[in-house]
Amino acid sequence: SKNRRLRQKRAISERQLTRYFVDHRKVRVVGGQGGEGGHSFYSEPRKVFGGPDGGNGGDGGHVILKADQQLKSLSSVLPFYQGFHGERGGSKNCYGANGAYVYVKVPVGTLVKEDGKVVADLTQHGEEYVAAYGGAGGKGNRFFLSNENRAPTLFTPGEPGQERVLHLELKTTAHAGLVGFPNAGKSSLLRAISNAKPAVAAYPFTTLNPHVGIVHYQDYEQVAVADIPGLIKGAHQNRGLGMAFLRHIERCRFLLYVVDLSVSQPWIQLQDLKYELEQYKKGLSERPCVVIGNKIDLAQSRINLPLLKEEIADRVIALSALTGDNLEELLLHLRELYDTYVKTEQSRGQRPVKW
């Protein structure tokens, strides 16, 4: 049964992650309306003018975003949420019931923006953010009793709930990010090392959504590798998919630079990639990394490989995503990077991201 569970888990994680990996959603949230105040007069035999006894209305329910580590994408978030309304106040000074809260589950790592400003960043499992407050309940006529007015008929309606339009963004919390220019072979590589199956073709265009591939190791550890939309020169000035791409790279713990070895002077690709990252956010290009020289099956690549190794200090792993040549070395090194990350997080008292 363990195998069956694993198979199921694998099937669903693959299906969900690759096809539905959504990284931003616009959502309108409206808090529940407060209930109106009660308006009644107390009356029983021998006590005809018992005075006002309408209770207050209940408050409307809030809409609350809640981070949940089970979720990996924003695909389940609907475009509209409405809190439950408060109930009307009753007689005999009974208060109306408060409206129930509506909880919207979002993945850990969701940014909440309003008018372009970040209003919340949900980075911990279980963290909550009130997206829209419910309206206050109205006052029943009992509330308006005074010496001047012994039989108030006045009561107030409940207030409407807060209404907002929020933009949710998910910064991919994969362990490793594949960084490379279009056509370097990132999608093919992701497909080769994991069970993700992005659409692949020789276009100098680029994957539009980040695809996450899960690499399964024998001891059931899983390393998540995100193929992040292709970088082009000038991305930090928001050319191409620019910022959208760079947003995702921020959360990756280590980077896999993919360069096309068959192009002349492949080290220039690496310099350009690192420059783009550094321009976007200082220190990004210093993350732990490995350089993957792809397309080693081509003759030109074999000539370029020693030249690349001379030019750069980082470790180079030459492989072919197409033929599967030398993938093992990458998988072993990927696991080393992951284990180091887990140890570092634990020594700092943090919880490493697990998939």
Side-chain angles (χ1 to χ4, degrees), residues 32 64 80 249 268 344:
I64 297 174
F80 176 69
I249 212 84
I268 292 180
T344 314

Side-chain angles (χ1 to χ4, degrees), residues 33 48 78 108 117 131 136 169 176 204 208 223 232 246 257 325 345:
Q33 165 119 13
V48 186
L78 304 173
V108 172
K117 284 203 293 290
E169 273 179 15
L208 286 176
V223 178
I232 59 172
L246 289 159
Y257 292 103
D325 204 17
E345 288 292 281

Side-chain angles (χ1 to χ4, degrees), residues 63-74:
V63 179
I64 297 174
L65 302 179
K66 186 166 186 171
D68 184 334
Q69 65 203 42
Q70 294 297 310
L71 284 179
K72 300 296 178 195
S73 99
L74 290 170

Side-chain angles (χ1 to χ4, degrees), residues 13 54 58 79 82 105 116 127 132 164-165 174-175 306 310 326:
S13 68
Q82 159 90 57
K105 287 184 174 176
E127 199 174 334
R164 299 168 78 189
V165 174
H175 299 116
E310 266 171 36
N326 207 23

Side-chain angles (χ1 to χ4, degrees), residues 29-95:
V29 285
V30 181
Q33 165 119 13
E36 67 173 26
H39 42 103
S40 67
F41 288 89
Y42 184 64
S43 165
E44 62 171 51
R46 296 189 300 286
K47 197 168 187 190
V48 186
F49 301 110
D53 70 346
N56 296 343
D59 296 332
H62 308 328
V63 179
I64 297 174
L65 302 179
K66 186 166 186 171
D68 184 334
Q69 65 203 42
Q70 294 297 310
L71 284 179
K72 300 296 178 195
S73 99
L74 290 170
S75 59
S76 59
V77 175
L78 304 173
F80 176 69
Y81 289 95
Q82 159 90 57
F84 289 97
H85 301 320
E87 288 184 14
R88 181 177 156 177
S91 55
K92 302 207 169 88
N93 297 324
C94 285
Y95 276 54

Side-chain angles (χ1 to χ4, degrees), residues 109-139:
T110 299
L111 276 186
V112 185
K113 288 185 171 175
E114 188 175 30
D115 302 327
K117 284 203 293 290
V118 175
V119 289
D121 185 359
L122 304 170
T123 54
Q124 297 294 319
H125 176 69
E127 199 174 334
E128 293 182 6
Y129 172 69
V130 180
Y133 283 95
K139 301 296 184 198

Side-chain angles (χ1 to χ4, degrees), residues 76 108 125 162 193 240 261 265 278 280 311:
S76 59
V108 172
H125 176 69
Q162 184 184 20
I193 62 174
L261 273 181
Q265 299 186 308
E278 203 49 36
Y280 172 67
E311 288 287 334

